[in-house]
Amino acid sequence: MKHRGKWLCSMLLVLALVICMMPATVFGEDLQQIDEISFTFEEPAAGDDIAAFISKCKPTVPESAHYTVQGVDTLVEDENDTVLTTGSFQNKTAYRVSFTLKAEDGYAFTSDDENGWFYNGKINGQWNYDGKIQDDHTILSIEYRFAIGLNRIEKLIYTFPEPVEGKTVGSMGKGTISSKPEGAYEGSFNCTWFESEDKTFGTIVSDEDYENKRMSESDTFQAGKYYGVSIGDRIYDIADGYWLDWYTRVLDNGTMIDHEYIFDYFGPLGEEPEGIEVECVWMIFPEPIVGKTPADIGKGSVYGEPEGSIYEQEFDVVWFECEDDTFAFATEETLETDHMSETDVFQAGYYYAAWPIKGVPMWPNKGYYTPENVELDVANGIWSNNQLLWCQFGPLVATVETPVFSPAETTFRDSIDVTISCPTEGAEIHYTMDGSTPTAESEVTTGAAITLNETTTLKAIAILEGYNDSEVAEATYTLRPNSGGGARPPKDPEPDPVSEPDDDSAGEPAPSADNTFPFTDVPEDSYCRKAVEWALKNGITGGTTETTFSPKSPATRAQVMTFIWAASGSPEPTSTENPFTDVSESDYFYKAVLWAYEQGITAGISADAFGSDETVTRGQIATFLYGVAGRPAAGSEPFADVEGSDYFADPVAWAYQNGITTGTGAETFSPDADCLREQIITFLYLYFAE
């Protein structure tokens, strides 16, 4: 049967698997991310009733799953896109069936695709590419394709006509398509060619460029130039008894290129290569680590010899597990079926081998060329003794987990007690207090608290026989004059003036008389006057204008986190990890939010949103400050509107016990109310400056 279709220039090569499930705390409320799903259902046979299948289909999920499958949403005949509700299933016909999945309470579907496409679903043992997460992340719509009486085509192989110096575009002819299994799919396609001075094809960046810069049939291929090609109209034939599901496309020649409009490229053309010959291409494979997953350790990379001869590029890797170093099971078939998933975990005592599933990029930089017989070697690990696998590691040795400081790095007043622990049972923790790197000869912690009374950098390493030493943990505790970073002794709460909007004015010192104070809307007798003076003097806020502080106005979460960061000494974040799509490097609050995230002060309002522009509530700011303090023991509080199960319960109790708040009434804290600027700055003053 003959078909014609318009090819879309996008690749469907391998599953874009994402990180394994990890807890994400949203103001103390645990959310588990679901980034992989699987379920099974009984596929119908020819002659089965369609209406009965739709109504009675009951998918089965694993016992450990935290989602349910709601049943069949729609059934579609694949070839003509006809929605089916009645009739019977036909032989030699392909179908699409869609399901809706619902996450359990406390769980959410997640994907690294910015548009919410979900690529990590396994249905009836087949990986599925067509899932879509709904806006609230608790609903996933996913589609599965199956066929009755037809065999699946596993792979399409594209062979392009190779440009020859002096020949015209028109003389190159069409490209061809073959398949695995052989003979299941045969086709040809038109080629659209583009010329470039290098392999980037940087002048083709829009649909207009694609239309205007393509070569004509009479254009001639020239030496020294690069030529990119895109796939045009296809003519193909699918052998009887086969059907084309989602498939992997591979190249038989040319070099795959990561370009929106170019699919493959050749060049530079010319019989005699110019420049310096690349002597060796070194592959650096990501090294497997016990307890980590393939997704955790990432991709491989390449570099050339001479140095700088190869364009540094990453390559995708799939992993295989074996109990010894033979990897005898690996065949051409098992390379594609028996490899680890992105969420499988590397284990101690096992051997692991890596295979570059899409090949290794060996693009020479300008002034170099790569000969056909260039040497290829591994820079780490060893060549596998199985000819199909490339690099081998093992047997793996577990690594001691990194020591943990409690409280985390912070500022403090007078003194602070810090304990060091290690999650790995039996590990011995060595530490230093002078900034030097700890070794097995360094001081050993007994588990007792270490009392600091000056600015100190603690470093610690955990050691256990039979394990690799842990990474070195580091934290700096900064003594702030007239400021506090740890929990301070509780002070007796005093009754609050009824004239104030928030009883948190209790216990305020007398306002100071300062003729240089700029804010006309904060009078000397205001309960927040002293706090505003302190914030102004310490560069925590400069007001809303040169003459106004706007004490009765609310503030955003971004503004409040910037206040807290400034009051903590504006520490630099130790990493650039930023999970929040609403926080960019150009934002004034960028460093403040990154620091707060890595310190565990906030995890945002969802897995990928900080809620920068949302108004901060009283419960949230209490939670922020509680995180800064290292989440010490909380005690109790008298507020009827604070339940023990609330995410802010411990933070509010801690703030009450430490005199930071006495609530908005004798028995109310008003946790969901907007926190006004006068209240916010008072909270910060009572924690940091008192």
Coordinates of all heavy atoms in Angstrom, one line a residue, residues 13-14 285 298-300 314-318 355-359 361:
L13 N 14.0 10.0 19.2 CA 15.1 9.0 19.3 C 15.1 8.1 20.5 O 15.0 6.9 20.4 CB 16.5 9.8 19.2 CG 16.8 10.4 17.9 CD1 18.1 11.2 18.0 CD2 17.0 9.3 16.9
V14 N 15.1 8.7 21.7 CA 15.1 7.9 22.9 C 14.2 8.6 23.9 O 13.9 9.8 23.8 CB 16.5 7.7 23.5 CG1 17.3 6.8 22.6 CG2 17.1 9.0 23.7
F285 N 33.3 9.0 29.9 CA 31.9 8.4 30.3 C 31.6 8.9 31.7 O 32.5 9.0 32.5 CB 31.9 6.9 30.2 CG 31.9 6.4 28.8 CD1 33.0 6.2 28.1 CD2 30.6 6.0 28.3 CE1 32.9 5.7 26.8 CE2 30.6 5.5 27.0 CZ 31.7 5.3 26.3
G298 N 24.2 11.7 34.2 CA 24.2 12.5 33.0 C 24.9 11.8 31.8 O 24.9 10.6 31.7
K299 N 25.4 12.7 30.9 CA 25.9 12.3 29.6 C 27.4 12.2 29.6 O 28.1 12.6 30.5 CB 25.4 13.2 28.5 CG 23.9 13.4 28.4 CD 23.5 14.3 27.3 CE 22.0 14.4 27.1 NZ 21.6 15.2 26.0
G300 N 27.9 11.6 28.5 CA 29.3 11.5 28.3 C 29.8 12.8 27.5 O 29.0 13.5 27.0
E314 N 28.5 16.6 24.1 CA 28.0 15.5 25.0 C 27.4 14.4 24.1 O 27.0 14.7 23.0 CB 27.0 16.0 26.0 CG 27.6 17.0 27.0 CD 26.6 17.3 28.1 OE1 25.4 17.3 27.8 OE2 27.0 17.6 29.2
F315 N 27.4 13.2 24.6 CA 26.7 12.1 24.0 C 25.9 11.3 25.0 O 26.2 11.2 26.1 CB 27.7 11.2 23.2 CG 28.8 10.6 24.1 CD1 28.6 9.4 24.7 CD2 30.0 11.2 24.2 CE1 29.5 8.8 25.5 CE2 31.0 10.6 25.0 CZ 30.8 9.4 25.6
D316 N 24.8 10.7 24.5 CA 23.9 10.0 25.3 C 24.4 8.6 25.6 O 25.1 8.0 24.7 CB 22.5 9.8 24.6 CG 21.8 11.2 24.6 OD1 21.8 11.9 25.6 OD2 21.1 11.5 23.6
V317 N 24.2 8.1 26.8 CA 24.7 6.8 27.2 C 23.6 5.9 27.7 O 22.7 6.4 28.5 CB 25.8 7.0 28.3 CG1 26.3 5.6 28.8 CG2 27.0 7.8 27.7
V318 N 23.6 4.6 27.4 CA 22.8 3.7 28.1 C 23.7 2.7 28.8 O 24.8 2.4 28.5 CB 21.8 2.9 27.1 CG1 20.8 3.8 26.5 CG2 22.6 2.2 26.0
W355 N 27.2 2.2 26.7 CA 27.2 2.2 25.3 C 26.6 3.5 24.8 O 25.5 3.9 25.2 CB 26.3 1.0 24.8 CG 26.1 0.9 23.3 CD1 27.1 1.0 22.4 CD2 24.9 0.8 22.6 NE1 26.5 0.8 21.1 CE2 25.2 0.8 21.2 CE3 23.5 0.8 23.0 CZ2 24.2 0.7 20.2 CZ3 22.6 0.6 22.0 CH2 22.9 0.6 20.6
P356 N 27.3 4.2 23.9 CA 26.8 5.5 23.4 C 25.7 5.2 22.3 O 26.0 4.9 21.2 CB 28.1 6.1 22.7 CG 28.9 5.0 22.4 CD 28.6 3.9 23.4
I357 N 24.5 5.3 22.8 CA 23.4 4.9 22.0 C 23.2 5.6 20.6 O 22.7 5.0 19.6 CB 22.0 4.9 22.8 CG1 20.9 4.2 22.0 CG2 21.7 6.4 23.1 CD1 19.7 4.1 22.9
K358 N 23.6 6.9 20.6 CA 23.5 7.6 19.3 C 24.8 7.8 18.6 O 24.9 8.6 17.7 CB 22.8 9.0 19.5 CG 21.4 8.9 20.2 CD 20.9 10.3 20.3 CE 19.7 10.4 21.2 NZ 19.2 11.8 21.4
G359 N 25.8 7.1 19.1 CA 27.2 7.3 18.6 C 27.9 8.4 19.3 O 27.4 9.0 20.2
P361 N 30.0 12.0 18.9 CA 30.2 13.1 18.0 C 31.7 13.4 17.9 O 32.4 13.5 18.9 CB 29.5 14.3 18.6 CG 29.4 13.9 20.1 CD 29.3 12.4 20.1

